[in-house]
Amino acid sequence: MLKVVSLFSGCGGADRGLIGGFIFNRKRYAKLPYELVYALDIDQKAINTHKLNFKCANVVVSDIRDVHEDEIPEHDVLVGGFPCQSFSTVNPTKDPSDDRANLYKEMVRIVRAKKPKVFIAENVKGFMTLQKGKILERVKEAFEEAGYTVTYRLINAAEYGVPQRRERVFLIGVRNDLEREFEFPEPTTTEKPVPLSVAVHKLDIDEQKYYFSERAVQGMKNAKSNMKRGLYQNLDEPCLTITSHLAKVSLNSRDPVLLVDPDKELYRRFTPREAARIQSFPDSFEFAGSEADAYRQIGNAIAPVMFWHISKAVMETLENV
């Protein structure tokens, strides 16, 4: 078994994909030979969800900057979707050099100290383009200086069996002495992406709390022409990217919503379970806390099915090592 340390683990989207052994969209994603030996996140509520779904003896709620490398067990694979708010394309005015943007250095610190065979880092699409790619190169060079051959690629989850157009950049580093070259998995669903109907089984539901008020609908209709959004989704296509503020979605934003009845102008947001399916979480995955907590954890997560394919490719890279 390959021992894994999961930094910035959140509720465990990456970890669910990495370990495997789950069913999504009537397809079984086989268990992979990974053992989770340590998981860390600063968010107690996300860790509460993580504990519901994984058997990991060492789960820590802490700021990674406060964790000494000696506290982290030896491992073969390090996983980390370091915080990405500073690299978001939604708000390009944010400072890409603030404290959160520099958290990649903490991951480099752990890599340098523990020397895992492979690390997997994830971030948003904007991470590739800010400062004309200089930030990405800076991060890549830091990992290379730690002794790793680094490969990166922008991956769209919709091309790997996820009912959502979600682009994320992955950096995979293989320790130089292993003399192995990582190859990203080829897309699995390019011709026929998985549709949103996999996640939304019924448009018209009973719970009124998920519906937008008539006032919200009128506000959208009366907004300036460049603000009229109402981005209702086609159930026959993958969903647009969902975010961590699912509980506060608006008809005047870029948030994807559902149009239940065009004649009655009925719109609604996704339920937490629908949102989880959009991210490719199996229905067996439990979320701790309130609905708002679940929405935030789901929106921040790495899509498990997409990560399963990457984890399988890492496993194949490390065969016979």
Side-chain angles (χ1 to χ4, degrees), residues 4 35-39 50-51 54-60 73:
V4 178
E35 178 189 1
L36 191 61
V37 297
Y38 183 95
H50 196 284
K51 288 180 177 179
F54 300 95
K55 294 179 180 178
C56 179
N58 208 348
V59 182
V60 178

Side-chain angles (χ1 to χ4, degrees), residues 23-217:
I23 295 174
F24 177 74
N25 190 23
R26 295 179 291 184
K27 179 178 179 181
R28 180 162 186 82
Y29 290 86
K31 195 173 188 312
L32 298 176
Y34 294 102
E35 178 189 1
L36 191 61
V37 297
Y38 183 95
L40 176 142
D41 198 273
I42 198 170
D43 184 346
Q44 177 68 66
K45 293 178 178 179
I47 286 297
N48 291 343
T49 291
H50 196 284
K51 288 180 177 179
L52 275 178
N53 295 280
F54 300 95
K55 294 179 180 178
C56 179
N58 208 348
V59 182
V60 178
V61 179
S62 181
D63 187 323
I64 183 63
R65 291 169 290 194
D66 297 330
V67 176
H68 193 275
E69 47 265 31
D70 290 344
E71 299 175 46
I72 296 176
E74 299 300 317
H75 55 282
D76 301 295
V77 179
L78 180 69
V79 175
F82 50 90
C84 58
Q85 292 93 334
S86 303
F87 309 126
S88 173
T89 56
V90 175
N91 187 355
T93 62
K94 286 188 177 180
D95 180 7
S97 301
D98 69 10
D99 288 343
R100 289 175 301 184
N102 285 317
L103 283 173
Y104 78 88
K105 294 179 181 178
E106 300 302 319
M107 193 169 173
V108 172
R109 173 173 65 89
I110 303 304
V111 162
R112 192 182 297 275
K114 309 304 289 191
K115 296 293 183 185
K117 295 173 182 175
V118 171
F119 73 82
I120 309 173
E122 179 263 3
N123 217 295
V124 292
K125 180 180 180 179
F127 175 66
M128 297 185 74
T129 55
L130 279 180
Q131 294 186 4
K132 298 181 179 180
K134 291 181 180 178
I135 291 177
L136 173 60
E137 283 304 314
R138 182 196 311 164
V139 173
K140 180 174 177 285
E141 287 173 7
F143 281 115
E144 288 173 340
E145 289 171 2
Y148 289 76
T149 301
V150 181
T151 307
Y152 66 86
R153 180 179 293 182
L154 185 67
I155 299 263
N156 188 339
E159 297 182 348
Y160 291 86
V162 178
Q164 178 188 187
R165 302 190 191 283
R166 188 181 188 88
E167 292 183 297
R168 293 293 184 267
V169 59
F170 285 88
L171 293 89
I172 315 294
V174 181
R175 207 173 64 208
N176 288 339
D177 64 290
L178 299 180
E179 297 183 340
R180 296 291 179 94
E181 185 175 340
F182 175 79
E183 293 186 9
F184 278 94
E186 291 301 313
T188 62
T189 55
T190 49
E191 292 184 6
K192 190 178 180 181
V194 175
L196 178 56
S197 58
V198 164
V200 178
H201 298 163
K202 185 181 178 183
L203 273 176
D204 189 3
I205 59 175
D206 294 332
E207 296 93 333
Q208 292 301 307
K209 63 183 178 180
Y210 299 115
Y211 287 84
F212 290 99
S213 67
E214 183 179 349
R215 180 179 178 182
V217 174

Side-chain angles (χ1 to χ4, degrees), residues 212-224 228 251-252 263-267:
F212 290 99
S213 67
E214 183 179 349
R215 180 179 178 182
V217 174
Q218 293 303 319
M220 174 191 69
K221 292 169 65 178
N222 296 329
K224 295 179 181 179
K228 289 182 181 177
L251 287 175
N252 282 333
D263 295 329
K264 296 180 180 178
E265 297 183 318
L266 273 180
Y267 293 83

